[in-house]
Amino acid sequence: MASSGEDISNDDDDMHPAAAGMADGVHLLGFSDEILLHILSHVPSTDLILNVRRTCRKLAALCLDKSLIHTVLLQKDYQASEDKVRQLVKEIGREIQQLSMAGCYWLPGSTVEHVARCRSLVKVNLSGCHLTSLRLSKMLSALQHLRSLAIDVSPGFDASQLSSECKATLSRVRELKQTLFTPSYGVVPCCTSLEKLLLYFEILDRTREGAILSGQLMVGQSNVPHYQNLRVFYARLAPGYINQEVVRLYLAVLSDRTPQNLHAFLISVPGSFAESGATKNLLDSMARNVVLDALQLPKSWLNGSSLLQHMKFNNPFYFSFSRCTLSGGHLIQQVINGGKDLRSLASLNLSGCVHCLSPDSLLRKAEDDIDSSILETLVASCCNLRHLNLSAAHHHSSEGLGRHLCQLLARLRHLRSLSLPVCSVADSAPRADRAPAQPAMHAVPRGFGKKVRVGVQSCPSPFSGQAGPQPSSVFWSLLKNLPFLEHLELIGSNFSSAMPRNEPAIRNSLPPCSRAQSVGDSEVAAIGQLAFLRHLTLAQLPSVLTGSGLVNIGLQCQQLRSLSLANLGMMGKVVYMPALSDMLKHCKRLRDLRLEQPYFSANAQFFQALSQCPSLQRLCLVSRSGTLQPDAVLAFMARCLQVVMCHLFTGESLATCKSLQQSLLRSFQAERPALNVVIFPLLHEGLTDVIRDVPLVHLDEITLFKSRVAEEPPNLWW
């Protein structure tokens, strides 16, 4: 049975607790209450209360245990229909203290407002739910114990419609997560006791009708946020000038008076975000008055600045210097303080910091070898790191015993997630055990149809000869020393997705790094050592010839939940499809699959292979000049009953795409309330308008490609 989201599940083997089967001669209900409660904790709340509870008296009592009904998480419970949610609230609403409906975009506001019956609520997450100002007011007026709130602020929001009872509730809220789709302060001015404020800016520069938006729309709204008790400030901006304009209005109050208890200050901005007089005052005030344990700033605020030198930190647990021109020298001197003990640091994001492992950024070329002594100091000082991101840079290791990047990272035994550029895992010099590439002599299938000549036999065993994981490979040794790794990303230094945010599709891509040419099927096969791997991303690996290593991953990584593959092998030649189809046969727990590959043929054989993933819920295919077979898509959706998201961006015509999309919705929408289907030509000028209607939970988690390791601090929101 599918769980209602990763937040409540360890994703053990799916099991219906009411099953009456025998296991080693012991009836399931013969287990202790403690064990049964643990099993029941993995069952979606709607199923637990509306189905399992009705099977027998013992389960009826256990299903109402406080440990199961005080916290109800409905996110990613895609079977939670309107009727089920209303019935759930009716039966246990008074007992619920924490409720998450995050991403329940399919539920109408009339259903969401039933949350008002859960009068004991202390925490509620309604991000992604449809709520008007009036419905929000009515609901919050009844929740007098509420202390933590997450909502969306959509066009049409009007704070003047909030009742005095609603504002009284908001005045007691200590944690607020607010996703803005329109220029607004939302409910922030009403929250006078805020200790944690998370802001997600998703405002588009233009309305659907083409009108240009401006932060001046906020003039006249209450602009006195109450930050005096603030401990955590986090802002994440989507691309667009309007988001930067609006976040400045939120920061203006902070610059006047910086909260003394502030200990986490994080601003994530794509591209450039120029400093202003107000932000300079804010940073100066922070340097003088606060001690931080988490920090992320726009790259333009740090580049060429001595700011880090003046910041004070106490047992920091998260740093992000993504895209900054931070040199290795500055990293050691200003952040690590010359090798200071940073055992408290759990998460470090150095994505796009092309000079962070070199002593001087002025004289170094991006492709030059790293200074391994800098990485050695980093590893020694931050020995308890659990999440590390070094992607989007060229981190090349020079020859030297034990000095390779992979050998040094192998000392970080606590790592659970890791993101690396492909070129960084290449051996320092060509290995003697790897034969040089031979001229094209053998044909392997292109997809499942046309043949192309690439110079190897079709899909050899990943364990035979040179195709298998080589113990002499530094990458193989790295993974051997990190057996508990759950999230791995190998992303080409020059990779960029064909489908960026709020922009037309990218038609051309940069060539891969030359060092990446020596990373191929054997390195992919080495990933099979990670028995606990849940999330895997492989992007821009030009030397993947047959994809044989994928079979190894499918066989051995039985916990795999999400898989993202992009631009594997030579561009224009999809040569790994036989191996991928073999891999999919073993991916019984795979829920999310994203494929980005030019000239991809999404034909009947591909969808037949995909149908062997019984847990699959979300599929995204991005293929410039790619093709698809509508009948195969329809048959796949009919077989895979759990699939609720199907996004296909190919080279097919607009008419073909629209016809298929309408057919899918007509056939499956009624029985799958959360079904979200987007089928559209990748290079069509209207793509941006189509993307804006995709639920943010899908857009952010799978449709748009990005590195997700150390993207946010651990446990930023419950």
Side-chain angles (χ1 to χ4, degrees):
M1 181 174 294
S3 77
S4 60
E6 291 184 358
D7 293 322
I8 64 169
S9 168
N10 290 328
D11 292 316
D12 296 332
D13 289 344
D14 296 339
M15 180 185 302
H16 198 300
M22 304 291 287
D24 296 328
V26 179
H27 193 284
L28 181 62
L29 294 182
F31 289 126
S32 67
D33 287 357
E34 183 180 6
I35 293 177
L36 287 174
L37 285 172
H38 178 73
I39 295 173
L40 292 172
S41 69
H42 299 293
V43 180
S45 297
T46 51
D47 206 3
L48 187 77
I49 300 302
L50 304 182
N51 295 322
V52 178
R53 186 165 71 97
R54 309 191 193 287
T55 56
C56 68
R57 290 182 179 179
K58 182 169 185 176
L59 288 178
L62 287 176
C63 287
L64 294 179
D65 188 86
K66 290 181 179 180
S67 65
L68 298 179
I69 62 175
H70 275 187
T71 298
V72 173
L73 305 177
L74 298 179
Q75 77 268 23
K76 296 186 181 177
D77 182 0
Y78 297 118
Q79 304 305 316
S81 63
E82 295 180 49
D83 291 341
K84 288 182 179 179
V85 172
R86 293 187 184 197
Q87 189 65 25
L88 176 74
V89 171
K90 181 180 179 181
E91 298 199 20
I92 63 167
R94 293 183 178 275
E95 306 297 326
I96 302 175
Q97 295 181 0
Q98 301 184 57
L99 172 64
S100 178
M101 299 175 67
C104 292
Y105 54 86
W106 62 91
L107 295 176
S110 58
T111 298
V112 177
E113 70 177 356
H114 278 62
V115 171
R117 297 184 180 183
C118 307
R119 295 181 180 270
S120 300
L121 273 179
V122 177
K123 293 185 174 184
V124 63
N125 189 341
L126 301 173
S127 296
C129 295
H130 302 289
L131 277 177
T132 63
S133 308
L134 289 174
R135 281 203 164 111
L136 179 66
S137 178
K138 178 181 177 182
M139 185 177 63
L140 294 183
S141 296
L143 305 179
Q144 299 181 9
H145 302 288
L146 196 66
R147 296 297 180 269
S148 178
L149 172 67
I151 58 169
D152 289 353
V153 177
S154 301
F157 178 86
D158 185 356
S160 67
Q161 295 180 338
L162 303 180
S163 67
S164 57
E165 294 83 3
C166 171
K167 292 179 180 178
T169 295
L170 289 169
S171 70
R172 296 184 287 269
V173 168
R174 295 173 184 169
E175 300 177 351
L176 176 66
K177 177 183 177 183
Q178 192 168 256
T179 304
L180 295 155
F181 293 94
T182 188
S184 174
Y185 290 107
V187 300
V188 171
C190 302
C191 301
T192 56
S193 303
L194 276 183
E195 295 179 7
K196 177 187 283 190
L197 177 60
L198 277 57
L199 299 168
Y200 292 76
F201 296 86
E202 297 288 338
I203 312 167
L204 294 173
D205 291 343
R206 293 177 180 269
T207 66
R208 196 177 300 276
E209 293 74 27
I212 299 176
L213 287 177
S214 169
Q216 295 302 313
L217 293 177
M218 296 169 66
V219 173
Q221 298 181 24
S222 173
N223 61 352
V224 190
H226 298 271
Y227 293 149
Q228 62 269 23
N229 299 317
L230 206 61
R231 295 174 56 80
V232 177
F233 181 89
Y234 175 87
R236 192 189 79 176
L237 283 65
Y241 78 90
I242 184 65
N243 291 308
Q244 296 188 12
E245 187 177 350
V246 174
V247 77
R248 289 187 191 279
L249 297 175
Y250 279 85
L251 291 172
V253 177
L254 269 179
S255 65
D256 291 337
R257 183 179 179 183
T258 306
Q260 293 183 347
N261 294 325
L262 190 69
H263 70 83
F265 186 77
L266 308 123
I267 301 180
S268 174
V269 183
S272 179
F273 184 39
E275 270 192 297
S276 64
T279 55
K280 287 181 180 178
N281 292 338
L282 169 61
L283 296 175
D284 289 342
S285 176
M286 287 172 55
R288 290 193 308 269
N289 303 317
V290 301
V291 179
L292 299 174
D293 57 24
L295 177 68
Q296 178 176 7
L297 295 176
K299 64 178 184 179
S300 55
W301 296 13
L302 285 175
N303 291 349
S305 168
S306 60
L307 175 65
L308 288 176
Q309 192 172 345
H310 302 292
M311 286 287 186
K312 294 184 283 291
F313 302 106
N314 181 34
N315 295 323
F317 67 91
Y318 178 79
F319 284 141
S320 177
F321 303 112
S322 179
R323 306 289 173 181
C324 294
T325 56
L326 187 71
S327 71
H330 288 146
L331 180 66
I332 298 300
Q333 296 164 17
Q334 300 180 12
V335 180
I336 303 177
N337 197 15
K340 180 182 177 181
D341 181 5
L342 284 178
R343 282 180 289 183
S344 60
L345 196 66
S347 186
L348 177 62
N349 190 340
L350 295 172
S351 172
C353 294
V354 297
H355 305 297
C356 69
L357 299 181
S358 301
D360 194 334
S361 61
L362 296 178
L363 304 177
R364 180 184 184 267
K365 296 179 181 178
E367 295 80 9
D368 288 346
D369 290 345
I370 63 171
D371 184 337
S372 57
S373 64
I374 293 174
L375 181 59
E376 198 163 13
T377 302
L378 175 67
V379 168
S381 302
C382 310
C383 57
N384 290 324
L385 271 178
R386 295 177 64 86
H387 314 283
L388 176 62
N389 194 327
L390 293 172
S391 65
H394 297 270
H395 294 316
H396 299 165
S397 298
S398 56
E399 293 187 61
L401 187 63
R403 309 285 284 177
H404 192 283
L405 177 141
C406 289
Q407 294 171 314
L408 295 173
L409 293 183
R411 302 176 188 177
L412 296 173
R413 299 302 177 90
H414 298 283
L415 276 180
R416 294 298 179 268
S417 64
L418 177 63
S419 182
L420 294 174
V422 174
C423 55
S424 73
V425 307
D427 284 351
S428 303
R431 299 207 311 265
D433 61 354
R434 186 192 292 273
Q438 299 297 319
M441 293 297 293
H442 304 282
V444 298
R446 175 183 179 183
F448 290 101
K450 187 177 179 181
K451 308 271 185 181
V452 292
R453 299 169 68 82
V454 297
V456 294
Q457 293 182 351
S458 177
C459 200
S461 166
F463 301 104
S464 63
Q466 294 153 10
Q470 303 288 340
S472 60
S473 161
V474 289
F475 184 58
W476 187 92
S477 299
L478 169 65
L479 300 186
K480 185 176 187 297
N481 283 281
L482 303 176
F484 299 108
L485 204 64
E486 298 177 2
H487 190 163
L488 176 65
E489 296 177 345
L490 273 185
I491 304 175
S493 307
N494 295 330
F495 177 75
S496 58
S497 173
M499 195 170 67
R501 184 73 184 274
N502 298 343
E503 298 173 13
I506 295 176
R507 296 170 184 266
N508 299 305
S509 57
L510 294 173
C513 173
S514 58
R515 287 267 186 118
Q517 301 289 347
S518 60
V519 179
D521 292 313
S522 63
E523 283 74 20
V524 174
I527 298 171
Q529 299 175 88
L530 303 176
F532 297 95
L533 190 67
R534 292 169 177 265
H535 312 282
L536 174 63
T537 295
L538 300 174
Q540 201 180 40
L541 279 75
S543 291
V544 167
L545 299 178
T546 66
S548 57
L550 295 174
V551 183
N552 201 27
I553 295 171
L555 284 167
Q556 298 183 259
C557 302
Q558 287 293 299
Q559 301 300 320
L560 194 63
R561 298 298 187 272
S562 67
L563 175 64
S564 177
L565 304 177
N567 292 10
L568 302 189
M570 298 175 63
M571 297 295 286
K573 297 180 175 64
V574 188
V575 298
Y576 61 89
M577 283 308 307
L580 178 61
S581 60
D582 283 345
M583 174 196 192
L584 293 174
K585 289 189 292 189
H586 308 289
C587 296
K588 301 305 181 185
R589 294 177 177 85
L590 188 68
R591 295 178 182 173
D592 296 340
L593 175 63
R594 186 186 192 277
L595 285 175
E596 179 167 345
Q597 189 81 33
Y599 304 100
F600 189 90
S601 176
N603 55 23
Q605 289 170 290
F606 165 69
F607 282 109
Q608 180 65 42
L610 197 56
S611 299
Q612 299 180 77
C613 301
S615 301
L616 192 69
Q617 295 178 330
R618 300 191 290 186
L619 169 66
C620 179
L621 172 63
V622 179
S623 180
R624 178 168 47 84
S625 302
T627 60
L628 56 83
Q629 292 182 3
D631 290 345
V633 179
L634 285 162
F636 157 73
M637 290 293 287
R639 287 191 298 266
C640 295
L641 304 180
Q642 302 296 323
V643 175
V644 294
M645 191 207 92
C646 182
H647 291 180
L648 306 176
F649 304 97
T650 65
E652 295 288 356
S653 68
L654 181 61
T656 298
C657 292
K658 281 188 173 182
S659 175
L660 178 56
Q661 179 171 317
Q662 291 169 359
S663 296
L664 289 172
L665 292 173
R666 187 167 55 249
S667 300
F668 305 107
Q669 184 84 70
E671 59 196 48
R672 304 182 202 184
L675 185 63
N676 182 253
V677 177
V678 180
I679 302 176
F680 205 76
L682 178 62
L683 299 182
H684 193 280
E685 60 184 6
L687 179 63
T688 302
D689 291 333
V690 170
I691 289 296
R692 70 187 298 164
D693 292 327
V694 173
L696 188 59
V697 62
H698 297 323
L699 192 67
D700 195 49
E701 292 181 2
I702 182 169
T703 306
L704 297 176
F705 183 96
K706 62 178 176 178
S707 175
R708 292 177 169 82
V709 171
E711 181 186 17
E712 293 181 341
N715 306 314
L716 183 62
W717 195 253
W718 61 281

